[in-house]
Amino acid sequence: MQTGAAVYNVATLGVSFIALVLSALAAWRQHHQARSQSALTTILEVYFRDIRDMDFQRDQTYVVTRLGAEHPPPAEGGIAALPEQAQHAIWNVAFMYESVGMMHALDMMDSRVALGVFNFRITQVWEAMEPYIMAERAVRQAPFLAFFENLYLEARATPPEELYRELGLRTIGGFTPGGG
């Protein structure tokens, strides 16, 4: 009789263990799906609402094409020493790319999106803003826009073509996955 009870207890324990493992796997999968959905929502919000915003586009064009010519980086006072229009444009653009860099660094945004879609602008904007960012760092005597800087360094080190190949994208000009 005791042998039957022991077998029953082992079988019950085995079934309980299997149920626990399956529950853990289901919870992990649910968490992963929720995180993916949240990341997708964030990406779409950034791309469709923020990046396409007319004010952001105007400010980004200003930073890239006119800021340096109209207002050299201040020797003292950082960004606050610039006229209000220049300050606004810098803050608007810098914080957008800081947000993208943060989402990328925290794995909330797939690197293929962050570095593939935004690569050209990340590089262009950082290089236009770098002297102003360094002036602001001097005033603060602390890191400033570190996520944006990291994103820039990764964008410089990652040709978008590599990411496109990884995704299997093709072009009319003959770009093929894994090819040249």
Side-chain angles (χ1 to χ4, degrees):
M1 273 304 228
Q2 278 189 333
T3 308
V7 169
Y8 176 76
N9 287 341
V10 168
T12 303
L13 184 61
V15 169
S16 296
F17 179 74
I18 290 170
L20 179 65
V21 168
L22 290 175
S23 293
L25 287 173
W28 176 83
R29 184 169 184 241
Q30 205 170 26
H31 171 74
H32 182 71
Q33 285 177 333
R35 184 173 175 184
S36 295
Q37 183 63 36
S38 174
L40 179 60
T41 301
T42 302
I43 291 166
L44 292 174
E45 184 174 314
V46 166
Y47 188 73
F48 287 118
R49 188 194 72 203
D50 300 334
I51 295 290
R52 292 179 45 178
D53 178 74
M54 196 180 320
D55 289 336
F56 174 79
Q57 288 294 320
R58 185 190 64 241
D59 290 343
Q60 181 174 252
T61 299
Y62 173 78
V63 163
V64 170
T65 62
R66 296 178 22 220
L67 176 64
E70 293 179 11
H71 306 286
E76 292 183 15
I79 295 169
L82 295 170
E84 189 175 333
Q85 177 198 3
Q87 288 181 47
H88 175 79
I90 288 172
W91 295 130
N92 189 18
V93 174
F95 289 136
M96 171 60 68
Y97 287 106
E98 179 76 349
S99 297
V100 172
M102 192 179 307
M103 288 185 284
H104 170 63
L106 299 174
D107 288 329
M108 294 172 61
M109 180 180 284
D110 189 310
S111 65
R112 294 171 297 187
V113 173
L115 301 175
V117 173
F118 301 115
N119 192 298
F120 175 74
R121 283 295 188 198
I122 291 165
T123 303
Q124 191 179 43
V125 169
W126 175 269
E127 291 174 358
M129 291 182 66
E130 185 176 14
Y132 302 90
I133 293 168
M134 295 308 160
E136 187 66 22
R137 286 181 180 176
V139 168
R140 293 173 183 233
Q141 297 182 342
F144 174 66
L145 299 175
F147 288 102
F148 182 18
E149 182 174 23
N150 180 68
L151 186 65
Y152 164 74
L153 293 171
E154 288 194 36
R156 293 283 300 183
T158 309
E161 295 80 13
E162 289 178 18
L163 302 169
Y164 301 154
R165 279 192 188 90
E166 184 181 320
L167 289 169
L169 300 180
R170 300 177 300 158
T171 66
I172 294 170
F175 174 84
T176 56

